[in-house]
Amino acid sequence: MKLLIAFSLLMVLTVFQEHISCFSLNLPASPGYYQDGDFVIGGLFSLRASAGNIRIRRFDYTDINYIPEYVHVYLTKHYQHILAMVFAIKNINKNPNILFNVSLGFYLFNVDFLEMKAMESSMSLLSGESPPVPNYSCRPEKTDKMVAVIGGISTGISTQISRVLSLYNIPQISYAPFDQSLGTRVQLQSPYQFPVHTTALYQGIIQLLLYFSWVWVGLVISDDMKGELFLRDITEEMKNHGLCVAFAQKVPDIPTKDTVNKKLLFERFTLTCVIVAFGDSYSLLRFVNNIIGYTFFRNVWITTSDWDLTMFTYYRNNTLLTFGGLSFSLHVDDILEFKDFLESVQPRKYPHDIFIQEVWSILFKCPYLYPHRFVERSQCEQNGSLSTRPFHDWDMNTSHYSYKVHAAVHAIAQALHEELSLRVEGDSHDKSVLQAPLPWKLHPFLQKGQLGRNTNAGNVVNKEVSATKLDILNYQSLPSGTEAQVKVGEFVFESHSVQHLSLNDKLINWGKYHKETPVSVCSHSCPLGFWKTLVEGKPFCCFDCVPCPDGEIANETDMDHCIKCPEDKYPNKQRNQCLPKIKAFLSHEDTLGAVLASVAISLSAFSAMILGLFIHYRDTPIVRANNRNLSYLLLVSLMLCFFCSLIFIGQPSTVTCVLRQVMFGVVFSVAVSAILAKTFIVVVAFKAIKPGSTLQMWMVTRLSNAIVCCGSLIQVCICAVWLGTYPPFPDVDMQSEFGQIILLCNEGSILAFYCVLGYLGFLASLSLFIAFLARRLPDSFNEAKTITFSMLFFCSVWISFVPAYLSSKGKTMVAVEILSILASSSTLLGCIFLPKCYVILLRSGGHSRKNLFK
């Protein structure tokens, strides 16, 4: 395949040969800067960004029409690249031990950033004439000495240079940023490259974003293959580290049509505070033209040193100062004595340098470029110093491009030294032996020396790289009034597991709009007590903050899920901490517990007083009527009912839990059974006094006793079964009351509990029914009426108890049961015995047996 391409290109050049000779064309020259030497190294550099001159050639190749080129911007800082090559060759020529007293020369061209011009200049290096004559060596004294070429500054320029030089197998060292695709673009001999781990740059950017917690970031990239690769890789890395891309703006370079929608671009810039820009000064030139003058942008820019934004500040004073920015630059050591050399550079010292006059006129505002403007002569002194120029025009520090050019010259010199060493015998320094070698013979020495071969990514200079160190620079205006790139940190990358970022925040100038470290997030951080919920249709960095649900907390910011508190703890009001729950139960110290206990004791005492009253007046007809023993039993059971409620107050235990329900069920069964027996006696007593009645009172008495015993015994059996199967036990309720652990008694068998209540309801209903039937008996003293009212209230209380009990929780449930016991017991005591007490104390004289049955 390579041979086919080479053959095709040679055929094209042969066609040119038939129509063109070295001096047959009267073409305007694009001259180069030539310095003679025994060996010559070519150099192709980019000093301007221009549209280029358009040449329209007729079919016979003899007439050419020109459209003058348009210069977008003069890249004066790039002149340092040429000076780095001149300085390196000068030092090598001073050292006789390197090239055996033979000298190096150079042949330099400015190709701007035009690929067409790069190919044309490459052909000029081969023909020795500018403009070039393909397939001709018009000046053998130049072309026969050519051993290698250094250039270009970008992948596109390097590719076009290599397409020409590879036909002649001339070594080419590119000082462009490392591009792994460069070897695949060139089908023949690939150019050598200086390796820089692109992974180091990606990781440096990622670590910087993480350091400042910038999670919502915009991307501006050049619209080319390198920009696409950067977008793919950096997007993947950002996603892996929890960072999001707010937008990705591709910027076409100058020759193509401007497709950037400025309105959309400005709207995108408002989406985020931080923007990462990737590209070089030329590929992003159109982007700079679009934003220059719009100083309202408040974005912070993260760039690489390949995009020198400082050189565009002449468009508008202090344009860059409206932007806060950090730039990653490959760390390079200063070239020894290079800064002194730069300070000594002046046009009069290099009269053959065709580039210095143009650069000098720009740096010192000379009339060379501005013939129609009046410029003071003092500003155009030929003996001025580059060190006095502002930073946006010139930098005295060694750029990484200059460092690469300097290193490339020494790599070529070393390869020449090794090749010449094979031809020099002993100490012979015969000039005829030391003729310029064929360029292709340097390849083995370049590869085995400082250059390494990599078939997938082109040739690589210094392939063995243990670690990559990147300086982090910040453009600042110093108090002295000068400008400078201040080093504020560095990033050292060895591997994904071994990397280190160091940064001095206090040294960073964030620009005009930011006095402190800016924030770049899609959604602000969720505070403690809140968790993140993703917003539909947006990246994961965009979210809403939602309070944690009940029983859960978020003790860190930006939590994806809330943490549920243990059962014995509860969240505080802010829901950022779990607090121990307080054990709670109805105690005697509580106001409610104290009131209920006081009421229960008071009613018990009142029952005891009535019992004493009845015992004292036991021989009166009102006490003897209706079986006074049942009255005693009922009063005692009511007294126990009141005392029974006291067991419900206090911390539950196994004994109290069992006694609560059993004592309640049995005591109430005795009380209600006694009332049932009294109701039965009321009816039977009136039947017993009728003439001819066969009922005897003694039988009535025994029957009433049987009713009480049977009614109580059945309840005892129910309680026994309850205790034998699933008895009540102490339990805790952690959910009913917020922040509290309710200590309570679990009834165990709910069925048995409601069987106890149901049986009490049955006895009460039976008593109510019999008493209701006896309501029309003689009313001089009719106990059936009071029993009817008491049972009616009693049933009403316990019917209301069921829904109230089921709907209450915690201490309220216990209080409801105590109130039901006190209310129902008080109803029985008041309705049945208070009327009798009234008769005994106030009307005892009129209640004889005779008056009783009137």
Side-chain angles (χ1 to χ4, degrees):
M1 185 63 182
K2 292 183 178 180
L3 292 176
L4 179 60
I5 294 174
F7 177 76
S8 301
L9 290 172
L10 287 174
M11 289 296 294
V12 173
L13 296 178
T14 302
V15 174
F16 272 82
Q17 180 180 356
E18 295 175 359
H19 297 277
I20 304 173
S21 62
C22 284
F23 305 103
S24 63
L25 298 178
N26 184 19
L27 302 178
S30 298
Y33 176 18
Y34 181 79
Q35 177 179 301
D36 195 19
D38 297 309
F39 308 141
V40 175
I41 301 176
L44 302 175
F45 301 94
S46 301
L47 302 181
R48 304 177 303 182
S50 65
N53 49 5
I54 302 175
R55 303 181 181 183
I56 305 175
R57 190 187 298 270
R58 293 182 180 179
F59 181 76
D60 57 1
Y61 300 98
T62 59
D63 274 347
I64 299 178
N65 295 327
Y66 289 89
I67 299 177
E69 62 185 3
Y70 173 77
V71 179
H72 295 282
V73 61
Y74 292 92
L75 307 176
T76 53
K77 288 185 179 181
H78 287 200
Y79 181 61
Q80 190 190 87
H81 310 162
I82 292 180
L83 294 180
M85 184 168 179
V86 173
F87 175 73
I89 291 177
K90 178 181 177 181
N91 286 343
I92 291 173
N93 290 336
K94 288 181 180 179
N95 190 343
N97 297 324
I98 298 180
L99 295 179
F100 305 100
N101 284 326
V102 297
S103 62
L104 276 179
F106 53 78
Y107 198 7
L108 310 180
F109 285 88
N110 171 33
V111 302
D112 294 342
F113 276 89
L114 300 176
E115 295 183 5
M116 180 186 67
K117 200 169 183 179
M119 181 172 286
E120 179 187 25
S121 298
S122 300
M123 297 172 67
S124 296
L125 288 174
L126 299 176
S127 67
E129 191 70 27
S130 180
V133 180
N135 211 30
Y136 271 87
S137 178
C138 299
R139 294 187 178 180
E141 72 276 8
K142 291 185 180 180
T143 58
D144 291 350
K145 300 177 182 180
M146 186 69 60
V147 293
V149 175
I150 299 174
I153 197 172
S154 67
T155 299
I157 299 295
S158 300
T159 300
Q160 298 308 321
I161 296 172
S162 182
R163 291 189 188 280
V164 176
L165 298 182
S166 61
L167 293 173
Y168 301 91
N169 213 2
I170 297 177
Q172 174 197 353
I173 300 179
S174 171
Y175 67 99
F178 181 80
D179 189 348
Q180 60 184 358
S181 66
L182 183 58
T184 61
R185 296 187 183 196
V186 181
Q187 299 298 324
L188 301 176
Q189 178 67 39
S190 301
Y192 295 93
Q193 296 187 81
F194 287 87
V196 175
H197 289 303
T198 54
T199 306
L201 176 61
Y202 300 154
Q203 291 300 320
I205 294 175
I206 295 298
Q207 293 304 317
L208 183 66
L209 297 177
L210 293 174
Y211 181 87
F212 290 112
S213 299
W214 292 333
V215 299
W216 186 240
V217 181
L219 299 178
V220 174
I221 59 173
S222 55
D223 192 7
D224 52 23
M225 181 60 69
K226 193 172 182 181
E228 290 288 345
L229 293 175
F230 174 81
L231 177 62
R232 182 196 67 186
D233 296 339
I234 198 68
T235 301
E236 182 179 356
E237 287 294 330
M238 289 176 64
K239 186 177 180 181
N240 293 338
H241 289 82
L243 307 175
C244 295
V245 177
F247 65 87
Q249 179 67 51
K250 296 180 181 179
V251 181
D253 56 18
I254 286 295
T256 59
K257 183 180 179 180
D258 188 358
T259 58
V260 176
N261 186 331
K262 291 186 179 181
K263 182 179 179 181
L264 177 61
L265 181 66
F266 299 156
E267 290 177 353
R268 284 182 166 183
F269 280 11
T270 61
L271 295 177
T272 178
C273 182
V274 176
I275 298 177
V276 176
F278 181 80
D280 55 42
S281 299
Y282 180 72
S283 63
L284 296 180
L285 177 60
R286 171 165 285 156
F287 173 72
V288 175
N289 290 337
N290 285 331
I291 67 173
I292 283 296
Y294 293 91
T295 58
F296 57 82
F297 292 138
R298 301 173 182 268
N299 305 94
V300 173
W301 294 82
I302 300 175
T303 68
T304 66
S305 57
D306 298 329
W307 183 29
D308 186 6
L309 191 60
T310 63
M311 65 179 60
F312 299 102
T313 55
Y314 73 90
Y315 278 102
R316 185 181 180 95
N317 291 335
N318 294 330
T319 295
L320 187 64
L321 293 182
T322 63
F323 296 87
L326 297 172
S327 176
F328 282 88
S329 177
L330 180 66
H331 177 80
V332 295
D333 297 325
D334 290 334
I335 301 174
L336 186 64
E337 299 180 352
F338 184 53
K339 184 174 291 187
D340 296 334
F341 171 75
L342 294 178
E343 291 180 352
S344 66
V345 170
Q346 292 175 348
R348 58 183 176 82
K349 293 183 179 181
Y350 300 93
H352 301 292
D353 187 348
I354 65 173
F355 307 117
I356 192 172
Q357 190 61 50
E358 184 178 52
V359 173
W360 209 263
S361 65
I362 298 172
L363 293 179
F364 291 89
K365 298 180 175 61
C366 298
Y368 177 79
L369 282 182
Y370 309 102
H372 303 296
R373 297 184 186 179
F374 175 75
V375 182
E376 294 183 8
R377 186 65 183 170
S378 60
Q379 293 181 307
C380 198
E381 293 295 334
Q382 294 294 305
N383 59 353
S385 175
L386 292 175
S387 61
T388 63
R389 297 302 86 200
F391 179 73
H392 61 266
D393 287 334
W394 187 262
D395 188 4
M396 293 297 293
N397 296 316
T398 305
S399 70
H400 67 285
Y401 284 126
S402 298
Y403 185 86
K404 288 182 181 179
V405 171
H406 184 271
V409 173
H410 279 273
I412 295 172
Q414 181 64 29
L416 283 171
H417 174 82
E418 294 183 8
E419 199 278 337
L420 293 176
S421 298
L422 297 179
R423 291 191 278 156
V424 175
E425 298 179 359
D427 296 329
S428 174
H429 290 175
D430 185 4
K431 284 281 185 177
S432 61
V433 179
L434 301 179
Q435 294 180 354
L438 295 174
W440 59 266
K441 289 188 176 182
L442 294 184
H443 283 296
F445 302 101
L446 289 173
Q447 294 170 9
K448 76 176 183 179
Q450 294 187 7
L451 305 182
R453 180 74 176 178
N454 188 323
T455 57
N456 293 329
N459 301 318
V460 179
V461 180
N462 292 329
K463 185 172 63 176
E464 297 296 332
V465 179
S466 59
T468 301
K469 184 177 181 181
L470 300 174
D471 293 333
I472 302 176
L473 308 175
N474 180 226
Y475 179 81
Q476 297 181 10
S477 180
L478 302 179
S480 60
T482 60
E483 302 159 323
Q485 286 270 38
V486 178
K487 181 178 178 179
V488 295
E490 64 181 21
F491 177 71
V492 179
F493 178 83
E494 295 185 19
S495 64
H496 285 280
S497 58
V498 182
Q499 50 185 295
H500 176 69
L501 173 70
S502 60
L503 206 61
N504 189 342
D505 303 13
K506 297 179 180 179
L507 294 179
I508 301 176
N509 179 8
W510 296 112
K512 177 180 178 181
Y513 297 107
H514 302 285
K515 302 303 180 184
E516 56 185 15
T517 304
V519 177
S520 184
V521 294
C522 179
S523 300
H524 287 284
S525 178
C526 288
L528 301 180
F530 290 79
W531 64 292
K532 299 189 300 185
T533 56
L534 298 181
V535 179
E536 186 176 357
K538 291 188 177 182
F540 60 86
C541 293
C542 301
F543 49 83
D544 292 328
C545 296
V546 180
C548 288
D550 293 340
E552 298 183 5
I553 65 165
N555 55 5
E556 296 179 4
T557 58
D558 291 334
M559 291 190 64
D560 295 325
H561 301 284
C562 294
I563 304 174
K564 191 171 183 178
C565 287
E567 287 192 353
D568 59 342
K569 294 184 179 181
Y570 72 99
N572 58 356
K573 188 176 181 180
Q574 293 77 22
R575 301 190 181 185
N576 59 8
Q577 185 180 3
C578 290
L579 303 177
K581 289 183 177 180
I582 301 173
K583 293 182 179 180
F585 54 89
L586 188 61
S587 66
H588 299 89
E589 289 77 14
D590 292 340
T591 302
L592 180 60
V595 170
L596 293 176
S598 300
V599 172
I601 294 174
S602 299
L603 291 175
S604 297
F606 186 63
S607 301
M609 291 173 59
I610 295 176
L611 178 59
L613 183 64
F614 268 54
I615 293 174
H616 185 267
Y617 292 97
R618 60 183 177 277
D619 295 326
T620 60
I622 191 66
V623 175
R624 294 176 59 191
N626 206 258
N627 197 329
R628 60 184 174 189
N629 292 330
L630 285 178
S631 297
Y632 297 158
L633 179 61
L634 180 57
L635 285 171
V636 171
S637 61
L638 289 177
M639 190 187 311
L640 293 176
C641 285
F642 292 130
F643 276 118
C644 172
S645 63
L646 296 177
I647 305 177
F648 287 80
I649 302 174
Q651 183 172 350
S653 63
T654 304
V655 175
T656 56
C657 287
V658 172
L659 288 179
R660 280 182 185 183
Q661 305 301 343
V662 173
M663 187 174 180
F664 158 73
V666 173
V667 171
F668 258 84
S669 297
V670 172
V672 177
S673 297
I675 293 174
L676 178 61
K678 288 177 71 68
T679 306
F680 180 76
I681 290 175
V682 170
V683 176
V684 174
F686 281 94
K687 296 289 185 180
I689 63 171
K690 291 184 178 181
S693 175
T694 57
L695 277 173
Q696 299 295 326
M697 290 302 298
W698 64 271
M699 294 179 60
V700 173
T701 302
R702 291 190 176 185
L703 185 59
S704 62
N705 293 337
I707 292 173
V708 173
C709 293
C710 291
S712 302
L713 186 59
I714 293 174
Q715 187 72 289
V716 170
C717 293
I718 294 174
C719 291
V721 173
W722 185 4
L723 295 179
T725 55
Y726 194 7
F729 58 90
D731 199 1
V732 292
D733 180 7
M734 298 185 179
Q735 307 299 329
S736 299
E737 297 291 341
F738 179 76
Q740 294 183 349
I741 300 177
I742 304 299
L743 303 182
L744 49 80
C745 288
N746 191 314
E747 280 75 16
S749 175
I750 300 297
L751 177 62
F753 174 70
Y754 283 104
C755 284
V756 170
L757 293 181
Y759 181 69
L760 289 176
F762 169 73
L763 293 178
S765 301
L766 186 59
S767 299
L768 176 62
F769 177 73
I770 296 176
F772 180 76
L773 294 178
R775 71 188 184 283
R776 297 188 180 276
L777 292 175
D779 56 359
S780 293
F781 181 80
N782 191 352
E783 197 175 31
K785 292 182 179 181
T786 59
I787 292 176
T788 301
F789 281 111
S790 64
M791 286 295 101
L792 184 63
F793 286 120
F794 183 88
C795 292
S796 299
V797 168
W798 287 106
I799 290 174
S800 302
F801 162 78
V802 174
Y805 184 80
L806 294 176
S807 61
S808 59
K809 297 179 179 180
K811 295 190 292 184
T812 307
M813 180 183 291
V814 179
V816 167
E817 190 167 359
I818 294 175
L819 285 173
S820 299
I821 294 174
L822 296 178
S824 59
S825 301
S826 301
T827 299
L828 296 179
L829 181 64
C831 291
I832 295 176
F833 290 101
L834 285 182
K836 290 185 178 183
C837 292
Y838 171 77
V839 171
I840 292 173
L841 296 177
L842 300 179
R843 300 177 60 185
S844 58
H847 287 277
S848 61
R849 178 179 175 85
K850 180 179 179 180
N851 294 330
L852 182 62
F853 290 99
K854 285 184 179 180

